[in-house]
Amino acid sequence: MIRSQDNAPYDVVIIGGGPGGSTTGALLKKYAPELRVLILEKERFPREHVGESQLPPISAVLQEMGCWDKVEAANFPIKIGATYTWGDTTDPWDFEFLPIGDIKPDEARPAKYEGWRVQTAFQVERSIYDKILLDHAAELGCEVREETRVAKVHAEGDRVTGLELETGEVVAARHYIDATGAVATLRRAMGVKIDAPTLLRNVAFWDYWENAEWAEEIGVGATRVHIRSLGYGWLWFIPLGPTRTSIGLVCPADHYKQTGKRPEEIYLEAIQSERFVSALTASATRDGPVRSTTDWSFVVDRTYGENWFLVGESAGFADPILAAGLTLTQTGARELAYTILELERGELDRDWLLERYDELQLRRVRQHMRFADYWYSANGYFDDIRENCSAIAKESGLKLDAADAFRWLAQGGLGDDAPGQVGVGGMDVAGVKQMMQRFSGSDAKWTINGKNTFKLNLVSAKETTIGKLVDGRIHTAPCYVRGKSRLPLLGVQGLVVEALRASSDAEGILEHLRAELSKTLAPEHVPVSVHHAIQTLEVMANDYWVICGVKKNKPVLNVTTPEEGSQIHTHDANSPSARRIPATEA
Ligand SMILES: Cc1cc2nc3c(=O)[nH]c(=O)nc-3n(C[C@H](O)[C@H](O)[C@H](O)COP(=O)(O)OP(=O)(O)OC[C@H]3O[C@@H](n4cnc5c(N)ncnc54)[C@H](O)[C@@H]3O)c2cc1C
């Protein structure tokens, strides 16, 4: 049991009751009910907020918090993926979270967090979603004070000594958390610097529509978010419920300035010019007025101080093209709750815990920024960003020209979204390659193809430890680190390292993988998991953890990237679920 100390009125004070604050608070109270946790929120909920389209990792966090059922009961649309027009082609294509055949269209709602629903996400109306989460944190025992704005941060050096409310009251605690989103009250007060290692300088305009048609409905309430490229920018189309839809325009700030148009004008013109979205909104009405914000990606240079932390958007923001904001926020909030729980227990090294939290948050935001850069470059309208790929690669210690760096961004350079797994923004490596193939119109290259020897390369690597989060505790696992690249010895990466230690030739490695996976998996699941391990080998080769070679007269690896994969494939506009848009409109 963690003992709360009585010399400060609160153990933890969280500024901001959005998803970052409520998730941290709820998980702290779930695992340590004795901690005194206060959440200070300047608004009275429900309050409106942009950022509605989620990724599946959030569902696991909601389940751990104990409120997936509450969110499901709100009857938000089930997000099974997204449909894009992007890249050189105007044909829509889908990015699926799960194979379409796994969806159970007849399953009644509210459902349980099991089976295919584990791989889905929600499209949420934030006023309702954020209130469910904040109320849940209160139910678990957090003291929540709404309409309570932190006006001033009192500090001595890098140590926060109290938070001054608008009433003049000063609140003191042992740990302070800034979960104030873009406001970043504590971050600004503590003078934390921010960096923007990207050329993206976008603005967003959005509004909410009543009775826009859904592009498609699969079973009871399942659908895809639609992203439509306009050339100079893009539109999002996110159904939030049976009648309410969020539609937004994102474009470079310079483009907006050059047009000299008012937000209302540029927004409505964009919708009218996009035939698919204009058809879906033909009989719909708008909330108005058009909301707008700059959505300039940034990342802080540190996420913690002597007795304070940054979480969620106060620590960094990656362009919304990947819909990753809430995922970064809520998975980061979970990491923070676990970090504070371990600091309280005092069993693990304090510096290791703090640096671990910091490194993870900064790396994830940077990785998503990099991937967003790649995504925009691939649209073919942002040549300067394509050139910037070299600079991005250099930051990771690689000397590559623009074309190679562009390829590396998509193919390699994928750190771990979760320790021991590789991928980014919900996509696995094969998915990224399929997407790249679509963007470029040429076959995606696999570094491991045509090779049959694979040797673990630990030159200049240092041994360190990585954390694994289970039931409120951080367990340690070994990990190699070289520059900014890490190789955790757990999960699929751990399995591949074991296979490389057992054998250096392709046949031996595959044999080892099959044998190990067969110990825990049913025979029909082994081939898929072997394929994931091969994808991991590819990322390890791209990050120089593996040196590939060729031995004569031995079979070589030949991984293919089918044009139509289960995760990325051409959108089926004739599927029974899709709303028919006449050919001239689509
Ligand atoms: C245009 C745009 C589109 C986006 N689209 C998506 C998307 O599709 N999917 C996605 O996942 N993310 C998206 N995001 C990102 C998403 O909105 C954020 O990641 C998310 O809201 C961050 O949560 P948070 O809890 O850190 O901050 P917030 O949700 O902003 O919550 C912060 C809270 O702190 C309170 N607060 C602020 N200052 C104080 C103070 N001084 N005292 C007390 N309380 C205070 C605020 O009232 C607020 O309730 C988008 C963002 C933008 C700008």
Side-chain angles (χ1 to χ4, degrees):
M1 184 176 118
I2 295 171
R3 302 213 68 79
S4 62
Q5 298 169 7
D6 290 323
N7 51 357
Y10 293 99
D11 297 301
V12 183
V13 175
I14 301 170
I15 325 172
S22 55
T23 302
T24 312
L27 288 173
L28 281 172
K29 289 299 284 186
K30 169 177 172 171
Y31 293 116
E34 62 280 15
L35 285 180
R36 297 154 308 172
V37 180
L38 171 67
I39 301 180
L40 301 169
E41 167 54 53
K42 73 178 164 70
E43 306 284 341
R44 173 147 299 275
F45 280 22
R47 57 94 179 88
E48 191 182 293
H49 204 297
V50 72
E52 295 113 351
S53 167
Q54 304 196 334
L55 295 173
I58 296 183
S59 299
V61 178
L62 293 174
Q63 177 69 2
E64 183 173 356
M65 289 163 70
C67 71
W68 188 89
D69 290 345
K70 293 181 183 176
V71 178
E72 167 70 358
N75 204 26
F76 294 122
I78 304 167
K79 182 177 169 190
I80 58 157
T83 301
Y84 292 88
T85 56
W86 202 267
D88 289 343
T89 159
T90 50
D91 296 337
W93 50 275
D94 297 335
F95 159 37
E96 313 279 27
F97 296 150
L98 71 168
I100 198 87
D102 289 1
I103 295 172
K104 303 234 171 343
D106 300 329
E107 189 172 277
R109 295 187 76 188
K112 291 218 170 330
Y113 182 72
E114 60 188 22
W116 68 285
R117 292 302 304 278
V118 170
Q119 288 167 274
T120 62
F122 293 106
Q123 294 161 202
V124 298
E125 186 166 352
R126 287 287 300 274
S127 55
I128 302 172
Y129 178 75
D130 288 15
K131 181 163 169 51
I132 293 173
L133 265 56
L134 189 59
D135 288 351
H136 184 71
E139 229 173 77
L140 289 179
C142 292
E143 182 183 331
V144 176
R145 287 203 226 163
E146 293 181 62
E147 294 178 288
T148 307
R149 189 173 79 87
V150 172
K152 198 171 169 194
V153 176
H154 293 267
E156 281 168 17
D158 197 38
R159 187 171 185 78
V160 175
T161 53
L163 301 175
E164 188 174 322
L165 311 182
E166 277 180 317
T167 53
E169 179 189 347
V170 177
V171 178
R174 293 187 300 110
H175 305 278
Y176 296 87
I177 297 175
D178 185 349
T180 57
V183 179
T185 303
L186 191 142
R187 183 191 91 206
R188 291 177 206 269
M190 300 311 284
V192 177
K193 292 196 180 69
I194 61 167
D195 182 19
T198 169
L199 294 180
L200 293 176
R201 294 280 184 276
N202 285 333
V203 279
F205 305 95
W206 71 97
D207 201 350
Y208 298 95
W209 295 67
E210 279 302 314
N211 298 317
E213 290 189 56
W214 287 22
E216 59 204 322
E217 181 166 9
I218 298 139
V220 187
T223 189
R224 296 183 186 90
V225 160
H226 277 249
I227 303 291
R228 312 289 292 198
S229 173
L230 299 169
Y232 62 89
W234 55 276
L235 286 175
W236 77 64
F237 181 93
I238 310 174
L240 304 177
T243 61
R244 197 165 171 80
T245 300
S246 166
I247 305 178
L249 162 70
V250 177
C251 68
D254 285 348
H255 172 85
Y256 166 55
K257 273 188 220 136
Q258 275 157 20
T259 64
K261 290 182 177 149
R262 288 179 300 113
E264 202 86 2
E265 273 178 283
I266 193 169
Y267 175 74
L268 289 176
E269 275 179 25
I271 289 180
Q272 277 148 19
S273 73
E274 214 293 319
R275 289 175 173 167
F276 185 78
V277 175
S278 74
L280 293 174
T281 50
S283 316
T285 50
R286 258 186 337 117
D287 232 22
V290 169
R291 290 81 162 156
S292 65
T293 185
T294 52
D295 66 7
W296 295 3
S297 304
F298 74 91
V299 62
V300 290
D301 73 352
R302 61 181 178 135
T303 55
Y304 70 91
E306 233 176 85
N307 61 346
W308 54 267
F309 294 90
L310 309 178
V311 74
E313 204 176 314
S314 75
F317 177 75
D319 190 275
I321 185 63
L322 301 173
L326 282 171
T327 308
L328 292 170
T329 295
Q330 292 194 250
T331 52
R334 175 175 182 254
E335 294 276 355
L336 178 54
Y338 274 69
T339 302
I340 292 177
L341 290 166
E342 289 298 355
L343 286 173
E344 289 290 299
R345 288 189 190 103
E347 293 163 15
L348 295 174
D349 181 66
R350 177 184 153 83
D351 290 344
W352 179 81
L353 282 168
L354 296 176
E355 280 158 25
R356 179 188 166 277
Y357 174 73
D358 191 61
E359 196 267 337
L360 262 176
Q361 309 318 307
L362 301 188
R363 185 157 46 82
R364 280 189 193 138
V365 177
R366 281 178 183 275
Q367 183 182 320
H368 279 80
M369 284 164 81
R370 265 180 10 192
F371 201 51
D373 274 1
Y374 168 74
W375 199 281
Y376 278 90
S377 329
N379 210 9
Y381 300 100
F382 299 88
D383 288 346
D384 47 348
I385 294 178
R386 193 180 252 260
E387 290 303 316
N388 190 42
C389 291
S390 285
I392 298 166
K394 197 170 161 208
E395 204 190 283
S396 291
L398 300 174
K399 213 172 156 193
L400 302 173
D401 66 21
D404 277 351
F406 180 68
R407 241 188 57 217
W408 167 80
L409 270 185
Q411 295 203 42
L414 301 180
D416 49 334
D417 255 4
Q421 292 167 20
V422 290
V424 65
M427 264 183 222
D428 65 11
V429 181
V432 170
K433 285 190 189 280
Q434 270 168 351
M435 191 196 73
M436 199 193 152
Q437 205 160 262
R438 255 163 212 277
F439 283 168
S440 66
S442 54
D443 285 352
K445 293 195 174 63
W446 288 76
T447 303
I448 55 175
N449 274 357
K451 309 287 184 335
N452 56 20
T453 64
F454 302 94
K455 286 195 182 126
L456 197 59
N457 173 25
L458 297 178
V459 173
S460 311
K462 288 193 190 117
E463 278 183 53
T464 176
T465 46
I466 191 175
K468 192 177 170 193
L469 278 50
V470 185
D471 294 338
R473 286 203 169 254
I474 301 183
H475 301 269
T476 55
C479 173
Y480 289 111
V481 61
R482 184 169 49 217
K484 290 191 174 168
S485 178
R486 296 174 335 146
L487 179 61
L489 300 185
L490 81 168
V492 189
Q493 282 165 312
L495 183 69
V496 174
V497 170
E498 269 175 39
L500 290 165
R501 284 189 167 137
S503 173
S504 63
D505 69 76
E507 282 171 328
I509 291 166
L510 287 171
E511 207 174 291
H512 183 92
L513 290 172
R514 276 188 216 108
E516 283 304 306
L517 289 164
S518 301
K519 287 180 187 165
T520 50
L521 296 176
E524 65 271 25
H525 294 138
V526 171
V528 175
S529 295
V530 169
H531 189 55
H532 274 130
I534 296 296
Q535 294 179 28
T536 303
L537 182 68
E538 167 76 4
V539 172
M540 286 164 63
N542 284 328
D543 283 348
Y544 306 105
W545 289 111
V546 170
I547 304 288
C548 312
V550 188
K551 218 188 246 175
K552 275 189 189 156
N553 304 325
K554 288 265 188 185
V556 293
L557 283 191
N558 182 22
V559 189
T560 53
T561 314
E563 224 166 273
E564 300 295 335
S566 62
Q567 202 178 24
I568 306 270
H569 54 78
T570 302
H571 179 67
D572 180 6
N574 293 319
S575 84
S577 62
R579 182 187 170 271
R580 298 283 181 280
I581 304 286
T584 49
E585 295 174 17

